[in-house]
Amino acid sequence: MLGAGITGCSTALYMARQGYSVTLFDQARQPFEGSSGWNDGKLHLGYLYAADPSLGTARQLLPGGLLFKDIVEDLLGGSIAGATTPRDEIFLLHRDSVVQQPGIDAYFRRVSDLVRSHPDAGRYWDDAARRGATPLTGAEIAGLAPEGGAILGGWRLPERSVSSRWLARRYIAALAAEQRIELRAGTRVLGVRPAAAADGLDGPFRVETEAGPDGPFTIVVNALWEGRCVIDQGIGLAPAPELTHRYRYALFIHTARPVAQDNALIGTGPFGDVKAYGDRDFYLSWYPAGLVAEGRDAAPPPLPALDEAGRQALAARILDGLAEHLPAIRRVADGAAHTDVQGSWVVAPGSGPLHDPAAGLHRRDRFGIRRTGRYVSVDSGKFSTAPWMAREVAAMFRGG
Ligand SMILES: Cc1cc2nc3c(=O)[nH]c(=O)nc-3n(C[C@H](O)[C@H](O)[C@H](O)COP(=O)(O)OP(=O)(O)OC[C@H]3O[C@@H](n4cnc5c(N)ncnc54)[C@H](O)[C@@H]3O)c2cc1C
């Protein structure tokens, strides 16, 4: 198993429970140090992709989002309710949104219908998915955003988010308790090749690492996210079309005392959001400040680490950008006992800036599992879809 993010860890747990001995490789010191450990954990039902009016993105994201809770609770052996945002999330329409009224209202109604009619709709939180989107009143919007500012409308969306930091700790514990999983942390993967010249993609395979070759392995699952394509190309899989890598920083704040703060997202385009997982753990993001690198190479280049001055400057820019629209979030920053300024890669097919309605990045339905023989490459697409896709990968190898 290559990559100890939510995709690799979920697949490893499933495969181990099917009786396989699993070797899990990751370059980081521990699992969930890539994008899976440092994102806001929105469990997508499709509402955010109004710039894809075909509903293709919503349809592709929906099954994984609806089943996330059930699958992860099964894998971790316990409830994730304590780490989940407790209320419907608020969507605020920015005046520069790439989709405006009445289009966005119509889009939300179409997604609500799609969600309600899905056979798994009842498996999301507290039946929340069946409620659909409801518009906020003018007074509710005025309570959140400055009057006369950039916010033109608002809705309550029945989506939940889960703290990726909390989930990281639970996954690490679940992996440690699984005797059939051996973790090779701190091990950078350089390539995969058939174990012998005559062996093709039906295996067995050797995994080339900075520490030397490892294996043989009967199955390889590549869940390396930003590192995935280079390994696929090395073993002869055709490259995925027009991938873009974007490195995004956000703030992960733990406050000394409880702070009352709603979850709110400003859309649609390059804006930001705040997530409150309970009343002491928060995620704050402002896209124009947090986006620090972007490229189309098969593998993104290593980025320089932030020094303390850079960290503080970036945190201030994220906070200022978001507080201009949601002034109350300054209370979160003022109450911080601990702030992590953390970034990771977003990998997605398509290109172009998010402020452009025609940008290919607004479509997020082109992810999935590619299998050739006993080599599998997983583009999980989203945190919310990864456990569902891990279950699909494991099902391919049930019974040997
Ligand atoms: C700021 C931000 C916010 C986001 N918000 C959301 C959200 O709200 N909802 C949502 O659904 N998704 C969100 N995402 C996307 C989400 O984080 C990813 O889709 C998801 O975490 C990918 O999981 P993964 O397991 O496939 O990859 P990762 O978690 O990135 O795991 C891949 C692992 O591979 C390792 N690796 C890479 N290359 C190598 C190599 N050569 N050798 C060894 N190890 C290697 C990395 O260290 C990493 O641990 C967000 C992403 C970002 C950056």
Side-chain angles (χ1 to χ4, degrees):
M1 181 67 48
L2 313 183
I6 191 165
T7 310
C9 294
S10 302
T11 313
L13 287 168
Y14 270 122
M15 294 294 275
R17 288 170 197 179
Q18 287 173 201
Y20 288 94
S21 296
V22 181
T23 307
L24 178 57
F25 291 90
D26 203 290
Q27 63 197 4
R29 290 171 290 110
Q30 58 176 355
F32 274 65
E33 280 302 303
S35 59
S36 294
W38 299 102
N39 74 84
D40 50 315
K42 177 182 264 297
L43 305 177
H44 290 277
L45 299 178
Y47 285 100
L48 296 197
Y49 294 92
D52 176 7
S54 75
L55 287 191
T57 302
R59 280 200 183 88
Q60 181 80 351
L61 293 177
L62 186 55
L66 289 174
L67 291 180
F68 185 96
K69 178 168 79 74
D70 279 10
I71 293 177
V72 171
E73 288 186 343
D74 178 41
L75 283 173
L76 301 183
S79 168
I80 63 170
T84 308
T85 52
R87 285 179 292 281
D88 287 2
E89 300 195 348
I90 290 169
F91 178 95
L92 296 169
L93 179 69
H94 196 278
R95 69 168 166 242
D96 297 329
S97 166
V98 293
V99 185
Q100 286 293 346
Q101 285 280 32
I104 201 141
D105 198 38
Y107 177 81
F108 287 160
R109 274 189 270 115
R110 290 169 69 211
V111 174
S112 295
D113 289 344
L114 186 70
V115 174
R116 284 192 194 106
S117 63
H118 195 283
D120 291 326
R123 297 172 78 175
Y124 205 66
W125 270 266
D126 306 329
D127 221 18
R130 293 220 171 92
R131 270 200 297 282
T134 48
L136 296 183
T137 63
E140 284 175 314
I141 296 169
L144 292 163
E147 270 186 74
I151 301 303
L152 305 183
W155 288 259
R156 239 173 256 289
L157 303 180
E159 288 182 321
R160 295 286 181 273
S161 298
V162 60
S163 161
S164 60
R165 300 311 304 143
W166 186 94
L167 219 54
R169 293 191 288 276
R170 297 302 159 110
Y171 263 93
I172 289 169
L175 292 171
E178 184 49 76
Q179 297 199 340
R180 288 201 180 90
I181 299 177
E182 195 178 329
L183 178 63
R184 298 257 205 286
T187 307
R188 184 166 171 74
V189 174
L190 304 176
V192 176
R193 61 177 170 81
D199 299 327
L201 290 175
D202 283 327
F205 304 93
R206 291 214 181 270
V207 173
E208 307 282 355
T209 76
E210 279 180 345
D214 207 332
F217 301 106
T218 53
I219 298 167
V220 168
V221 178
N222 177 357
L224 290 175
W225 194 235
E226 80 275 9
R228 187 177 58 88
C229 291
V230 165
I231 307 299
D232 282 355
Q233 284 173 24
I235 199 155
L237 242 67
E242 49 164 11
L243 278 183
T244 297
H245 297 88
R246 287 170 293 143
Y247 198 87
R248 279 182 55 200
Y249 279 99
L251 307 184
F252 296 79
I253 295 179
H254 181 72
T255 57
R257 277 177 287 284
V259 178
Q261 171 65 50
D262 268 322
N263 302 306
L265 180 137
I266 302 168
T268 286
F271 305 110
D273 56 342
V274 53
K275 293 282 162 63
Y277 315 99
D279 54 14
R280 292 186 60 191
D281 287 294
F282 301 89
Y283 165 95
L284 307 185
S285 143
W286 185 247
Y287 188 98
L291 179 71
V292 298
E294 186 165 12
R296 310 279 306 278
D297 298 334
L303 291 180
L306 276 183
D307 61 16
E308 186 50 27
R311 204 183 78 88
Q312 285 186 18
L314 185 55
R317 285 200 299 277
I318 291 173
L319 196 60
D320 290 348
L322 194 56
E324 189 186 327
H325 301 80
L326 297 169
I329 57 107
R330 290 220 181 266
R331 289 176 301 131
V332 173
D334 292 345
H338 181 80
T339 302
D340 277 306
V341 184
Q342 280 286 346
S344 56
W345 291 102
V346 179
V347 184
S351 59
L354 286 182
H355 60 73
D356 177 0
L361 282 176
H362 293 300
R363 257 187 75 186
R364 291 301 183 83
D365 56 345
R366 290 169 291 170
F367 61 90
I369 301 165
R370 289 198 295 166
R371 177 180 175 185
T372 310
R374 293 168 85 80
Y375 181 91
V376 182
S377 178
V378 189
D379 175 357
S380 55
K382 287 273 166 195
F383 185 76
S384 58
T385 41
W388 169 63
M389 293 174 71
R391 195 178 71 168
E392 300 286 305
V393 172
M396 291 174 177
F397 297 105
R398 205 173 289 139

